[in-house]
Amino acid sequence: VAKQAGRNRFSFFTVEMRESAWVRLQMIDELRHALARQQLDVFYQPIVDLDTGVIVKAEALVRWHHPRHGLVLPEEFIGLAEETGLIDDIGAWVLAQAAACARAWSALAGAPFQISVNKSPAEFTGRAMIQSWDNDLALFERAGKQIAVEITEGLLLNDTPGVQARLGQLAQTGVQFSIDDFGIGYSSMAYLKKFKVDFLKIDQSFVKDIATNLNSSVFAETIVLMAHKLGLKVIAEGIETAEQRDVLKTMGCDYAQGFLFSKPVSSASFERLLAGNGNRAPE
Ligand code: C2E
Ligand code: MG
Ligand code: MG
Ligand code: MG
């Protein structure tokens, strides 16, 4: 909820339209065909090393090129995809795209280049086809550390056996884990003792007023301290100003992602960013 309130995005579906059953059905039908019609796309947003400003990772973010509505953002369709189970196929496809890019860009950079993918709780609880989970596992296994999976605190706190079993299987593939939107959901962090994660992503709602709100800056600084003591790296999300970047850098935050560096871009544009990234490969 905090996450949604923090976003002020243009949305082509007005409230009345959203509530219209007919529009909903039509959209589900269109989404069902979007993959086959090659309307889905994956954009990539750079994650930079705060010390050097160099791009060291990326996050894969799905997009829908809708024939009438133009570029549609995930908040308009991920919910529907989750409710209908279409998220399984969409997620598998995004993962395959991201894994291919991670391989290509690692070769380009001459060093391992990691891409993170988002996985909804629905992808751990649902799954009409058991086969689709196995396919994901095979892809994750092949990618290893070239892929990080972004999951939310809520998923780790879900102790139904099915969810915990899938998390265990996923961990065995060798991928890394990030906790997305860290800080907005729960006050308990006990799950960090049970499940090994690699990165915490500080939610953008804290980054937004980090330079002006003492609570936000204390909170962010505490996350960084705790994470480092636990051996985790911290990624700050939603950095839009140089001031926010500087505050986080002073706190010792490791990585940063936000419009200050780049918006999410197509894979072709991302390759151009990487080409101008200077030399991450050590000589
Ligand atoms: P997220 O994983 O927290 O992704 C970060 C979101 O913040 C992205 O929105 C990104 O464009 C936006 N963002 C990045 N930097 C800034 C900034 O400086 N300022 C502001 N205001 N926003 C920034 P996007 O791409 O619209 O994605 C929204 C959410 O949709 C994601 O949040 C993620 O939860 C979900 N999502 C995206 N792709 C996938 C996917 O392939 N599968 C699943 N299951 N969920 C996805
Ligand atoms: Mg994410
Ligand atoms: Mg996030
Ligand atoms: Mg977020």
Side-chain angles (χ1 to χ4, degrees):
V1 177
K3 186 174 174 185
Q4 273 155 357
R7 306 262 164 89
N8 276 313
R9 280 185 180 151
F10 170 75
S11 153
F12 66 80
F13 288 104
T14 63
V15 174
E16 305 90 83
M17 281 170 80
R18 264 185 223 279
E19 282 169 1
S20 146
W22 190 82
V23 167
R24 204 182 121 86
L25 284 177
Q26 188 186 27
M27 197 181 172
I28 290 171
D29 186 58
E30 289 175 335
L31 188 56
R32 209 178 286 290
H33 294 102
L35 258 183
R37 290 175 183 156
Q38 303 185 358
Q39 293 168 355
L40 295 189
D41 198 359
V42 183
F43 275 24
Y44 298 89
Q45 188 177 29
I47 298 175
V48 306
D49 181 325
L50 259 176
D51 283 334
T52 61
V54 171
I55 301 170
V56 289
K57 299 171 190 295
E59 178 174 6
L61 296 156
V62 70
R63 298 289 183 263
W64 183 5
H65 298 285
H66 191 283
R68 295 187 315 284
H69 302 303
L71 189 74
V72 181
L73 294 173
E75 272 161 10
E76 301 287 344
F77 64 91
I78 287 291
L80 272 188
E82 290 168 350
E83 288 167 36
T84 53
L86 291 170
I87 193 69
D88 296 347
D89 284 348
I90 293 173
W93 182 80
V94 168
L95 173 59
Q97 302 298 304
C101 284
R103 269 196 302 281
W105 297 342
S106 294
L108 205 71
F113 189 86
Q114 184 180 64
I115 298 181
S116 62
V117 296
N118 294 281
K119 284 276 170 209
S120 302
E123 293 174 81
F124 291 82
T125 54
R127 300 268 179 182
M129 312 272 184
I130 198 69
Q131 183 79 42
S132 78
W133 176 253
D134 292 341
N135 289 346
D136 274 14
L137 281 183
L139 275 175
F140 279 123
E141 185 132 51
R142 176 154 179 235
K145 282 195 168 42
Q146 277 180 3
I147 290 286
V149 192
E150 299 197 3
I151 52 180
T152 52
E153 295 169 88
L155 182 73
L156 290 178
L157 288 166
N158 180 333
D159 53 14
T160 39
V163 169
Q164 291 302 320
R166 281 181 173 167
L167 278 169
Q169 290 175 320
L170 195 49
Q172 287 204 323
T173 64
V175 294
Q176 294 199 307
F177 288 90
S178 300
I179 307 290
D180 207 351
D181 309 325
F182 187 78
I184 63 169
Y186 300 86
S187 51
S188 162
M189 286 172 280
Y191 61 82
L192 289 175
K193 290 197 292 187
K194 287 195 292 179
F195 191 81
K196 189 193 167 301
V197 308
D198 303 279
F199 306 101
L200 297 185
K201 298 190 80 171
I202 302 182
D203 190 66
Q204 40 190 283
S205 58
F206 297 105
V207 171
K208 207 181 176 76
D209 57 2
I210 198 161
T212 51
N213 182 319
L214 187 62
N215 287 338
S216 289
S217 67
V218 166
F219 192 86
E221 191 162 22
T222 306
I223 292 177
V224 172
L225 272 172
M226 179 199 68
H228 286 170
K229 289 205 164 154
L230 293 171
L232 316 179
K233 301 277 190 192
V234 182
I235 303 170
E237 283 194 292
I239 297 191
E240 294 184 355
T241 71
E243 197 179 19
Q244 293 164 347
R245 177 200 59 202
D246 294 343
V247 171
L248 283 152
K249 194 173 161 176
T250 306
M251 288 176 181
C253 180
D254 305 283
Y255 304 108
Q257 179 180 353
F259 295 169
L260 176 67
F261 309 101
S262 168
K263 296 202 165 186
V265 296
S266 69
S267 60
S269 301
F270 193 89
E271 269 179 31
R272 285 191 288 276
L273 287 179
L274 271 187
N277 196 25
N279 50 44
R280 341 180 10 254
E283 198 48 48

